[in-house]
Amino acid sequence: MPAGPHRPSEECRRIFALLSEYLDAELPLETCDEIEAHLSDCPPCVEFLESLRRTVELCRSFEPGEMPGPLSEEVRAELRQLYEKALRGRPSGGAP
Amino acid sequence: MPATDAQQQEIELARRLVAGEPGAFERFVELFRNKLFQYSLLVCGHHEDAEEVAQDALFKVFEKLDQLREPERIRPWVFRIARNACLMKRRKSVFAPERELSLEELMPQAGEDGGQWKLEIADWSSLPEDQALRAELQRVVREAIQALPEIYKTVLLLRDIEGLSTAETAEVLGVSEEVVKTRLHRARLAVRQKLDSYLRSSRGNSSRGKAN
Ligand SMILES: [Zn+2]
């Protein structure tokens, strides 16, 4: 059994460093297998991974606390001018 | 990570924008101005600075639009501009010194239970069902992200909030993919740690109990 009775094993520590890549499916298959083998026998690592997974889920549904103020008509008109100039400058673009 | 519907829609919007389709300009300005503002706000920390930086970046986006060859790359392209605008404008004095987060400090405490070691962390299992708690957690997440050192904040925003790939994020920030992965992991761990202490505090877990 990989985990010692009283504290996280070296393997727990090694895996701890890889958990985000594991969640993002960015690890080589072989490393994934090693992690899954460890998880199958280490409830604390499973519990921790779950807390990290839920954290990522919450980050992905992040809601901004502040929004920018309204855009002034003056700025909007300047941006539109730049936009129209850029369209004329594009190889495939024509005037809007 | 496959592109989400929102990401697909943003790419489609960029295609319509560079094709000069009617309505695309208004929609693009509305959507990307907010993105630029959220990025700037996280980096600058002040609403007024963020407004100013976001506006500068938006001007740059349209000034350079004729150089955007691949509309599907709109997202990393825009954030690259946002990053440069932040670098130009930032007032050094308002920034806390950059601090590296170590894995050691982000590791959970381990305790003992009947001869078997266990983690001293909150009970995360009941989160998805509890709507009121989720709203509260959104606030904790926002504060936790704001409190991150800047190098971690930007990676978390680009990867998890905006859904850029590791390669795109590396390109925006001018670092290697390995650095992106390392920073993202630490950023998530730091947010996790804040959420965990919130859940373990009296407001979080005391009324729920571990048995449900
Ligand atoms: Zn373990």
Side-chain angles (χ1 to χ4, degrees):
Chain A
M1 138 158 211
H6 300 306
R7 59 183 186 82
S9 68
E10 276 309 306
E11 188 65 357
C12 296
R13 288 170 174 275
R14 187 176 80 89
I15 280 166
F16 177 77
L18 298 173
L19 290 177
S20 279
E21 286 171 78
Y22 176 71
L23 287 175
D24 296 340
E26 287 189 324
L27 288 171
L29 212 56
E30 195 188 300
T31 316
C32 272
D33 289 346
E34 286 166 23
I35 291 179
E36 274 156 20
H38 178 82
L39 293 175
S40 71
D41 202 19
C42 186
C45 280
V46 172
E47 193 188 356
F48 186 83
L49 178 65
E50 185 59 12
S51 73
L52 186 64
R53 198 179 61 74
R54 293 196 193 241
T55 298
V56 175
E57 205 179 278
L58 281 163
C59 288
R60 290 199 175 132
S61 54
F62 175 86
E63 284 155 23
E66 295 173 53
M67 300 292 271
L71 184 66
S72 77
E73 280 313 310
E74 200 183 337
V75 171
R76 186 185 301 275
E78 277 181 62
L79 289 171
R80 187 173 267 289
Q81 276 188 357
L82 286 172
Y83 173 51
E84 287 170 4
K85 191 173 162 223
L87 283 183
R88 287 192 297 271
R90 288 185 68 82
S92 56
Chain B
M1 189 169 47
T4 63
D5 284 356
Q7 292 164 20
Q8 281 304 335
Q9 281 170 20
E10 286 163 21
I11 289 169
E12 188 48 37
L13 178 59
R15 283 204 190 96
R16 290 173 43 220
L17 183 79
V18 299
E21 287 186 23
F25 171 79
E26 285 75 15
R27 180 78 193 103
F28 181 90
V29 167
E30 186 192 346
L31 185 67
F32 279 87
R33 179 168 173 262
N34 190 37
K35 284 181 187 297
L36 290 165
F37 174 77
Q38 298 304 338
Y39 182 97
S40 311
L41 185 62
L42 268 188
V43 177
C44 302
H46 295 302
H47 192 104
E48 294 72 23
D49 289 356
E51 289 255 16
E52 198 181 323
V53 171
Q55 182 163 314
D56 290 353
L58 199 55
F59 273 103
K60 273 274 177 299
V61 164
F62 283 104
E63 274 165 25
K64 294 179 158 201
L65 193 65
D66 59 337
Q67 297 165 27
L68 175 67
R69 293 283 167 253
E70 303 160 88
E72 57 275 19
R73 304 207 2 90
I74 185 72
R75 295 148 37 76
W77 188 77
V78 162
F79 284 112
R80 178 93 195 167
I81 290 173
R83 174 177 178 262
N84 288 338
C86 286
L87 288 175
M88 298 276 287
K89 268 286 152 60
R90 75 191 210 170
R91 302 181 211 157
K92 292 273 182 205
S93 59
V94 306
F95 288 94
E98 285 297 313
R99 197 172 77 78
E100 299 273 340
L101 297 170
S102 73
L103 279 186
E104 205 59 38
E105 66 187 297
L106 299 170
M107 246 177 215
Q109 296 289 308
E112 223 190 296
D113 186 16
Q116 189 64 25
W117 78 274
K118 66 171 183 65
L119 294 179
E120 309 211 316
I121 68 173
D123 175 19
W124 288 67
S125 59
S126 61
L127 292 196
E129 299 81 37
D130 193 329
Q131 289 304 318
L133 179 61
R134 280 189 81 91
E136 211 21 37
L137 290 178
Q138 280 293 344
R139 183 187 57 79
V140 179
V141 165
R142 193 160 61 231
E143 287 169 7
I145 294 174
Q146 278 161 355
L148 287 171
E150 189 194 319
I151 57 170
Y152 300 97
K153 247 193 258 201
T154 46
V155 168
L156 190 123
L157 177 119
L158 294 172
R159 287 283 288 115
D160 283 343
I161 301 177
E162 286 296 338
L164 265 63
S165 70
T166 299
E168 288 172 335
T169 305
E171 186 195 321
V172 170
L173 300 175
V175 298
S176 70
E177 292 188 31
E178 280 315 304
V179 166
V180 170
K181 289 179 190 172
T182 304
R183 288 184 187 168
L184 178 64
H185 188 42
R186 288 169 198 210
R188 286 171 173 177
L189 289 171
V191 174
R192 194 213 71 86
Q193 199 170 54
K194 287 253 167 73
L195 282 167
D196 197 70
S197 17
Y198 175 79
L199 289 169
R200 293 171 78 188
S201 74
S202 51
R203 278 204 70 185
N205 253 18
S206 68
S207 59
R208 350 189 75 80
K210 281 211 129 193
N212 54 6

